[in-house]
Amino acid sequence: MNITIFITFWLIVLARITDVSLDTIRTVSVIQGRRAFAAVLGFFEAVVYICAVAKVLLNMNQPVYAVAYGLGFAAGTYLGMVIEQHLAFGKQLVFLLTPKGPELAEVLRAGDYRVAEVKGHTRDGDLTILCVEIPRREAQNLVRLASVVDDRCVFIVHDIRLADFAERGTPKTNQRKRSRLFPLEGLASFKRGIS
């Protein structure tokens, strides 16, 4: 293997690691509704992908380039997942199922978590379901804190795309959310026109 083939091999691997990592992060961004960020990542991903594919297809007499392509894809998939988990975009809804509901809720509220409590019944007895909306990067801290209070606590963690639980303050009277399709003002004038 001469030096040109060797360098090209590693450039293809690097290009595939880059574009597949970007693709992994872009896919998560699409799921979470981050449109602009996903579009920017998609642009760079496509440019790098075209360069890598072109190099492999224009040099089919060098099968080692196909190996580089596959190696870069595998490494990019792994690296993209590691990067995405490190960035931890978005929010999660954590359900904590515990018989020690009041004690755990008090500890979580002391730690500045917003907690909703629901009473539950199972064949093993009564328990409390605590619902906590948190940024993804704080999920492990919440699990560790809850485990200190109740080491038998059961955790159910869901990624959420859209929620306003944490942003809500005290309810405002006579104020409704506006619909994009049917603004309330337009609906009120429509009703007046009918009657």
Side-chain angles (χ1 to χ4, degrees), residues 50-102:
I50 289 296
C51 294
V53 168
K55 193 64 178 173
V56 173
L57 294 179
L58 293 174
N59 295 284
M60 290 301 288
N61 58 332
Q62 295 292 340
V64 72
Y65 291 168
V67 173
Y69 188 89
L71 180 64
F73 187 91
T77 301
Y78 180 83
L79 184 63
M81 291 175 71
V82 169
I83 291 170
E84 194 282 323
Q85 288 171 353
H86 181 71
L87 293 174
F89 292 134
K91 294 191 175 188
Q92 291 184 319
L93 185 61
V94 180
F95 294 95
L96 304 116
L97 287 69
T98 175
K100 299 181 179 179

Side-chain angles (χ1 to χ4, degrees), residues 27-194:
T27 301
V28 173
S29 299
V30 167
I31 291 168
Q32 293 179 348
R34 299 170 181 270
R35 291 179 283 225
F37 186 63
V40 170
L41 290 178
F43 171 79
F44 289 108
E45 173 200 341
V47 169
V48 174
Y49 172 77
I50 289 296
C51 294
V53 168
K55 193 64 178 173
V56 173
L57 294 179
L58 293 174
N59 295 284
M60 290 301 288
N61 58 332
Q62 295 292 340
V64 72
Y65 291 168
V67 173
Y69 188 89
L71 180 64
F73 187 91
T77 301
Y78 180 83
L79 184 63
M81 291 175 71
V82 169
I83 291 170
E84 194 282 323
Q85 288 171 353
H86 181 71
L87 293 174
F89 292 134
K91 294 191 175 188
Q92 291 184 319
L93 185 61
V94 180
F95 294 95
L96 304 116
L97 287 69
T98 175
K100 299 181 179 179
E103 302 97 309
L104 182 53
E106 188 177 329
V107 168
L108 293 177
R109 287 187 180 111
D112 257 356
Y113 292 103
R114 294 186 61 157
V115 181
E117 295 179 59
V118 178
K119 297 296 180 192
H121 306 285
T122 67
R123 64 182 178 188
D124 300 324
D126 293 345
L127 54 76
T128 303
I129 303 168
L130 303 176
C131 306
V132 185
E133 179 190 338
I134 56 170
R136 275 183 61 206
R137 60 178 49 96
E138 293 181 22
Q140 290 302 317
N141 293 337
L142 176 68
V143 168
R144 278 193 288 272
L145 179 61
S147 295
V148 170
V149 177
D150 181 6
D151 59 349
R152 297 181 62 208
C153 185
V154 175
F155 306 95
I156 302 171
V157 182
H158 291 283
D159 288 333
I160 53 178
R161 178 174 175 180
L162 179 65
D164 64 353
F165 176 69
E167 283 80 28
R168 286 189 188 199
T170 55
K172 296 178 183 171
T173 57
N174 297 331
Q175 199 170 37
R176 298 181 187 169
K177 282 192 171 181
R178 296 183 64 175
S179 167
R180 291 181 187 167
L181 295 176
F182 303 104
L184 292 176
E185 292 81 13
L187 186 59
S189 61
F190 176 72
K191 285 181 180 177
R192 282 195 299 273
I194 291 176

